[in-house]
Amino acid sequence: MGLSWKERVFMTLLGAATASGLTVLVLILVEATYVLLPAHIKFGIVFDAGSSHTSLFVYQWPANKEKDTGVVSQALACQIEAGALSSGAVSGPGISSYASDPALAGESLRGCLEEALALIPKTQHQETPTFLGATAGMRLLRQKNSSQARDILAAVSQVLSEFPVDFWGARILDGQDEGAFAWITINYVLGMLIKYSFGEWILPEEGTQVGALDLGGASTQISFVPRGPILDQSTQATFLLYGANYRIYTHSHLCFGRDQMLSRLLARLAQDSQAALVRHPCYHSGYRVTQSLAPLYESPCVHFTAPMNFTQSLVVEGTGNPGACVAAIRGLFNFSSCKGREDCAFNGVYQPPVHGQFYAFSNFYYTFHFLNLTARQSLSTINATIWEFCRRPWKLSQVEANYPGQERWLPNYCASGLYILTLLLEGYGFSEDTWPGVQFQKQAGGMDIGWTLGYMLNLTGMIPAEAPTEGRAQSYSTWMAGVVFVVLTLVTILGAAAVQLFWPQD
């Protein structure tokens, strides 16, 4: 026998009330933070204006930060490639190369910035912090001609101020800042500052951080946490990140970047030769090139004067002698100033003894990657490989024909490889025992290694976090009150129906 219509109504109301009651129960059990809309994403833009090129990076992070520091990820990388501008000029070199026409320095940045703004929601353009940091190339130009450096920064600032962003300025970074921010970058992407584990963000164990080794075009930086106290306070950088304090040693050696090393080396050889023909031990035998001398002696890093018989050009001929090349490279350092001191690198610069793991990037990586030496080979294998490469003749398909597309830098890999060994071993004080702790990497954790991410992480500490807005909280409360009202109404109707069904009135 089927149910009567009263019983069917009752069962329907019972089901509705049960479902509504369960819904309320689930909502009560779930925290309100998970019911609110997802956290607002913030964006930041950083230009890395290096000595040889400029790159732009877009970073993003949730507004609800962790211990007052953003959990940042890279959203875009854009390198300013050489190409024709609307004026017919060529863009692409470092901004310091625009000393004769500063306006072009600013114009060269437009393409990448437009690409960045196409990625960022238009409603957030006005609140996106944008910063340009110039490194060693501009530090050298400031030494050489401070007014030209100011003009370039002014031109860059004028162009960037035209865009609808929160422009934080364009300035020349100190070498200490460049090294310290790179240290933050590496340790962050490796999970050495904060990491996600079992549903929460935690701080890693103290003392697990790695050191940073950067080799740019005009300078080189070393940054690490020493075992003991830092005795020279000018080499100390401190940070508060994710609620933890960090104290690191960092120093930048201006004029010891790869490009400036090559210029200083050639100038030294020309000085010793005092002739229009220079026999270069770091170039492969059979290699011969004629180059202008004027740019060589314009660098503030070159302290030699032009030879007495100075002409407009110099003929350079390779001899392929790695032993003589090492001797010439060692002449670029003042090692005697640190003799007998364990806390000294070279040129009298204070440095605590190195220890632990290090990441070597930029030109450290590019040089060793070309030589197939990034697989953590032994020091003896690396040394033998570089010497063997230096001894190869340039012609007869030994070098020139075997590396297509490498013509620009190919003659310099021998000098660069031997320079890296000299810098790391005799300069920074690595040994056969500590060498296995050095890794040559371009990226870490899938992100580019450099100072820009570290700068952005530090910057997030100055940008207020966004808690759920009052409007969102009110919407949540009103919505919950409405649900409760509907459920209570249904329960009341169900109770009335039950009374009518089972206790009918006479």
Side-chain angles (χ1 to χ4, degrees):
M1 184 176 179
L3 296 174
S4 68
W5 70 269
K6 289 185 177 181
E7 291 173 326
R8 286 198 298 270
V9 170
F10 174 75
M11 295 302 294
T12 300
L13 291 174
L14 178 62
T18 302
S20 300
L22 288 174
T23 301
V24 172
L25 178 61
V26 170
L27 291 174
I28 291 172
L29 294 176
V30 175
E31 292 182 10
T33 54
Y34 292 100
V35 178
L36 294 179
L37 295 175
H40 179 56
I41 299 297
K42 286 183 173 289
F43 293 88
I45 299 172
V46 185
F47 283 94
D48 178 4
S51 59
S52 58
H53 70 275
T54 299
S55 298
L56 172 149
F57 297 92
V58 176
Y59 297 107
Q60 61 184 21
W61 64 95
N64 51 339
K65 299 181 288 186
E66 296 296 327
K67 300 181 191 287
D68 296 324
T69 308
V71 180
V72 180
S73 61
Q74 181 176 306
L76 174 71
C78 178
Q79 182 163 319
I80 298 175
E81 303 288 351
L85 295 168
S86 58
S87 62
V90 174
S91 67
I95 60 174
S96 60
S97 65
Y98 293 106
S100 60
D101 195 348
L104 293 181
E107 292 299 318
S108 70
L109 308 178
R110 289 186 183 272
C112 276
L113 186 52
E114 289 170 355
E115 185 176 340
L117 292 180
L119 172 71
I120 300 170
K122 194 170 183 178
T123 55
Q124 294 181 244
H125 287 183
Q126 297 282 356
E127 65 184 56
T128 298
T130 301
F131 173 76
L132 182 141
T135 54
M138 286 292 287
R139 291 200 288 270
L140 286 177
L141 180 61
R142 183 171 57 187
Q143 282 188 10
K144 177 184 173 184
N145 191 319
S146 59
S147 65
Q148 286 183 337
R150 285 195 301 270
D151 290 344
I152 289 176
L153 291 179
V156 164
S157 298
Q158 179 178 342
V159 169
L160 296 183
S161 297
E162 296 173 7
F163 286 82
V165 295
D166 182 13
F167 181 46
W168 284 54
R171 69 178 178 88
I172 300 174
L173 283 184
D174 292 336
Q176 310 299 92
D177 289 340
E178 186 179 0
F181 288 143
W183 180 90
I184 293 176
T185 296
I186 292 177
N187 284 283
Y188 171 75
V189 298
L190 292 177
M192 300 299 183
L193 299 180
I194 192 170
K195 60 183 178 179
Y196 197 71
S197 178
F198 296 104
E200 63 177 341
W201 291 98
I202 63 172
L203 299 179
E205 293 182 15
E206 196 172 332
T208 59
Q209 288 76 30
V210 303
L213 297 167
D214 185 5
L215 180 61
S219 66
T220 180
Q221 286 76 234
I222 179 171
S223 308
F224 64 99
V225 178
R227 278 201 177 98
I230 298 174
L231 303 180
D232 182 350
Q233 294 301 303
S234 69
T235 65
Q236 177 174 287
T238 57
F239 297 100
L240 176 62
L241 298 166
Y242 304 107
N245 288 296
Y246 295 96
R247 175 188 57 87
I248 68 170
Y249 167 87
T250 181
H251 188 80
S252 176
H253 297 270
L254 191 60
C255 297
F256 283 85
R258 182 192 61 182
D259 299 344
Q260 291 301 324
M261 176 276 297
L262 294 171
S263 296
R264 293 170 57 216
L265 180 61
L266 180 57
R268 184 181 184 88
L269 293 171
Q271 187 75 17
D272 294 341
S273 173
Q274 290 290 319
L277 173 66
V278 172
R279 295 177 63 80
H280 201 311
C282 305
Y283 285 155
H284 300 273
S285 61
Y287 176 79
R288 186 182 177 96
V289 66
T290 301
Q291 66 180 74
S292 172
L293 272 178
L296 187 66
Y297 291 97
E298 288 175 356
S299 170
C301 295
V302 175
H303 301 299
F304 300 106
T305 56
M308 294 296 294
N309 56 346
F310 174 79
T311 60
Q312 294 300 315
S313 60
L314 186 71
V315 177
V316 184
E317 200 174 75
T319 63
N321 186 337
C325 179
V326 170
I329 288 172
R330 292 188 82 255
L332 303 178
F333 296 83
N334 181 356
F335 292 125
S336 61
S337 60
C338 289
K339 189 174 182 179
R341 292 177 54 190
E342 291 186 358
D343 59 352
C344 188
F346 55 90
N347 291 21
V349 173
Y350 165 79
Q351 178 195 300
V354 295
H355 78 97
Q357 300 289 313
F358 281 81
Y359 267 56
F361 53 99
S362 298
N363 285 319
F364 283 121
Y365 168 80
Y366 293 124
T367 299
F368 272 33
H369 175 71
F370 171 82
L371 297 168
N372 292 319
L373 294 175
T374 59
R376 310 193 74 167
Q377 292 96 325
S378 67
L379 182 57
S380 59
T381 298
I382 290 174
N383 191 63
T385 300
I386 297 175
W387 277 57
E388 188 274 331
F389 175 78
C390 292
R391 286 181 172 137
R392 294 183 192 177
W394 182 253
K395 299 293 184 182
L396 303 176
S397 300
Q398 291 297 301
V399 174
E400 185 180 25
N402 285 351
Y403 300 97
Q406 296 279 350
E407 291 79 8
R408 182 182 179 187
W409 300 113
L410 186 56
N412 298 318
Y413 279 119
C414 169
S416 297
L418 293 175
Y419 174 69
I420 287 174
L421 288 179
T422 304
L423 174 63
L424 294 183
L425 297 173
E426 300 184 61
Y428 289 152
F430 289 93
S431 64
E432 192 165 358
D433 292 334
T434 56
W435 184 267
V438 181
Q439 296 187 52
F440 295 85
Q441 299 283 346
K442 177 184 178 181
Q443 291 187 324
M447 300 178 69
D448 295 312
I449 299 175
W451 65 266
T452 56
L453 175 56
Y455 171 84
M456 184 56 66
L457 279 168
N458 196 51
L459 177 67
T460 63
M462 295 180 275
I463 300 175
E466 287 186 4
T469 63
E470 183 179 354
R472 282 179 176 174
Q474 287 176 346
S475 297
Y476 172 75
S477 301
T478 303
W479 176 65
M480 281 294 294
V483 171
V484 172
F485 174 77
V486 170
V487 172
L488 291 175
T489 301
L490 288 173
V491 171
T492 302
I493 294 172
L494 179 61
V499 169
Q500 289 294 326
L501 180 62
F502 295 104
W503 293 278
Q505 300 293 324
D506 292 332

